[in-house]
Amino acid sequence: MRLRQGIGRHAAPRFGLILALAGAVLLTAPAANAKGRDDQGRRATRSAEDFEWHGHIAAGKAIEVKGVNGGIVAEPSTGTEVEVVAKKSGRRSDPDEVKIEVMEHEDGVTICALYPSPYGDRPNECQPGEGGRMNTRNNDVQVEYTVRVPAGVRFIGRTVNGSVEARGLRADVEGYTVNGSVQIATRGIARASTVNGSIDAEMGTAFSEPMEFATVNGGITLIVPAGSGAELSASTVNGDIETDFPLTVRGRFSHHKVSGTIGHGGPRLQMSTVNGDIRLRSAS
């Protein structure tokens, strides 16, 4: 089923909590020569020693990685331990001032990139989920994460300026950013949100609980198993809405949003953007 949306006025996005996190800009630099500058004499990127952590996390528990500037890549592990590698680099700011902290808790392990706390603010701290403080100001250090995740261990990636990519995983996955895309492929369920970027997610498990996929500037593509059922709510201002599934429309039809039942129904599935297409695909 394909539902085309017309172009309407931009709706004001409600992403205050996420936007409040954005305070840094991604910066890159060419390789340095022996004098610490590139061939054109510009200040070159400085790097700190890589951070590495590995350990056993029980099936059903989560490895969560939190950053501010820099992308996160997760891939399947060939062993039974979680492995995390963080590479730090900066142009103006000192990478050594950004500390990587590991916090163990009842739901698994959270690893954070803690930047120097802005003057006058409360100290930054590493906490799981949306807790803790990850503020930064005028600091261009990037922390790029690579995470190897064993089967059965959940993965959660959170950053502000950077993409989140998790492919080939074998448990539930969550990916959140502000400025960047989110790409997920897993045998479990997926959750994702961004503000400036697209979302591409493929789940190997049918809907079993309410789920939401949201962005502002970017499209959303979600691939789910054939025969999945949900109560769909989808909206876009500038874009199209398409679905491979038979959809029983509920209420009055609108050119700006669609609400209805997929299959025999099920948990609520919410998909929303302002500038971009929405596509709900069947894996078959």
Side-chain angles (χ1 to χ4, degrees), residues 13-151:
R14 298 179 180 178
F15 287 91
L17 178 61
I18 298 179
L19 290 173
L21 295 173
V25 179
L26 282 174
L27 297 173
T28 59
N33 61 23
K35 295 183 180 180
R37 292 182 177 271
D38 62 21
D39 293 338
Q40 287 73 43
R42 293 172 295 194
R43 183 178 297 175
T45 300
R46 296 180 295 171
S47 298
E49 292 185 4
D50 295 343
F51 165 89
E52 296 185 13
W53 179 90
H54 63 89
H56 178 76
I57 297 178
K61 302 294 184 180
I63 175 65
E64 177 182 36
V65 172
K66 302 174 72 171
V68 177
N69 297 329
I72 302 171
V73 176
E75 55 192 32
S77 171
T78 57
T80 60
E81 288 191 326
V82 174
E83 301 175 50
V84 179
V85 176
K87 296 180 180 292
K88 298 187 291 183
S89 62
R91 290 182 64 186
R92 295 178 293 101
S93 306
D94 185 357
D96 286 328
E97 293 183 348
V98 178
K99 308 302 180 184
I100 309 298
E101 185 169 320
V102 180
M103 179 184 182
E104 298 184 10
H105 48 86
E106 63 180 9
D107 193 41
V109 174
T110 296
I111 297 180
C112 306
L114 290 183
Y115 286 70
S117 302
Y119 180 77
D121 285 2
R122 287 187 293 141
N124 286 332
E125 62 176 341
C126 183
Q127 293 290 335
E130 296 181 358
R133 294 179 61 82
M134 302 284 288
N135 294 342
T136 183
R137 186 181 300 144
N138 298 326
N139 193 308
D140 71 1
V141 172
Q142 294 189 67
V143 180
E144 303 285 342
Y145 285 103
T146 300
V147 187
R148 296 178 179 87
V149 188

Side-chain angles (χ1 to χ4, degrees), residues 127-242:
Q127 293 290 335
E130 296 181 358
R133 294 179 61 82
M134 302 284 288
N135 294 342
T136 183
R137 186 181 300 144
N138 298 326
N139 193 308
D140 71 1
V141 172
Q142 294 189 67
V143 180
E144 303 285 342
Y145 285 103
T146 300
V147 187
R148 296 178 179 87
V149 188
V153 175
R154 295 158 38 226
F155 171 74
I156 305 169
R158 303 178 189 270
T159 188
V160 177
N161 298 310
S163 62
V164 179
E165 181 177 345
R167 295 191 178 279
L169 300 191
R170 293 158 286 181
D172 297 348
V173 173
E174 300 177 42
Y176 307 106
T177 185
V178 176
N179 299 308
S181 62
V182 180
Q183 299 180 349
I184 295 173
T186 181
R187 296 181 188 175
I189 63 174
R191 288 185 175 82
S193 71
T194 183
V195 175
N196 298 308
S198 60
I199 296 174
D200 293 278
E202 182 174 0
M203 302 184 353
T205 302
F207 303 109
S208 58
E209 54 191 82
M211 307 189 68
E212 180 177 3
F213 298 85
T215 184
V216 175
N217 297 309
I220 302 174
T221 299
L222 175 61
I223 303 174
V224 298
S228 297
E231 297 298 326
L232 174 67
S233 176
S235 64
T236 179
V237 177
N238 301 315
D240 300 333
I241 300 178
E242 302 178 10

Side-chain angles (χ1 to χ4, degrees), residues 3 5 232-235 241 247 249 253-254 256-260:
L3 304 168
Q5 290 272 134
L232 174 67
S233 176
S235 64
I241 300 178
L247 177 65
V249 177
F253 178 83
S254 170
H256 298 286
K257 65 180 180 179
V258 172
S259 179

